[in-house]
Amino acid sequence: MRTSEIHGQVERAFNDGDVDALLALYEPDARMLRDDGTTAVGVDEIREVWSGLATLGGRIAMETRCEVEHGDVALIGNSWTFSMDGAVVASATTAEV
């Protein structure tokens, strides 16, 4: 998968409620920052985060803002919105390595 495809994959998987497809994008020892500032460590804890978000039933829209690649490491940034019943209820700008 190309770096430029990752946000589209996240958007599709989330909107389909496919947590397994989301987890397939992570390395086994990945880290994910939770909204309370704590860190989910490994895919089991990351599954809990995505599962909780998926049960809300909303939709996510993501726009890739930047991509920087060097060898097999990439930094990508995006702006996202989370909508429920057509209204945006959350948004942020994030970065992933």
Side-chain angles (χ1 to χ4, degrees), residues 1-11 25 62 64 76 96:
M1 173 185 315
R2 294 181 10 199
T3 303
S4 61
E5 299 171 327
I6 291 175
H7 292 134
Q9 291 286 334
V10 171
E11 187 176 300
L25 300 171
M62 303 179 86
T64 300
I76 55 176
E96 300 82 30

Side-chain angles (χ1 to χ4, degrees), residues 75-90:
L75 171 67
I76 55 176
N78 77 88
S79 294
W80 59 264
T81 58
F82 180 72
S83 301
M84 296 182 72
D85 299 322
V88 173
V89 295

Side-chain angles (χ1 to χ4, degrees), residues 23-89:
L23 294 174
L25 300 171
Y26 290 87
E27 295 292 326
D29 62 346
R31 307 292 195 267
M32 180 181 192
L33 192 62
R34 295 182 183 103
D35 60 352
D36 67 0
T38 62
T39 303
V41 179
V43 291
D44 290 338
E45 290 185 19
I46 293 171
R47 175 185 295 279
E48 291 175 14
V49 174
W50 279 119
S51 293
L53 292 170
T55 62
L56 297 174
R59 298 191 57 80
I60 196 168
M62 303 179 86
E63 177 185 351
T64 300
R65 308 288 292 184
C66 65
E67 302 174 42
V68 179
E69 295 184 61
H70 180 71
D72 64 350
V73 177
L75 171 67
I76 55 176
N78 77 88
S79 294
W80 59 264
T81 58
F82 180 72
S83 301
M84 296 182 72
D85 299 322
V88 173
V89 295

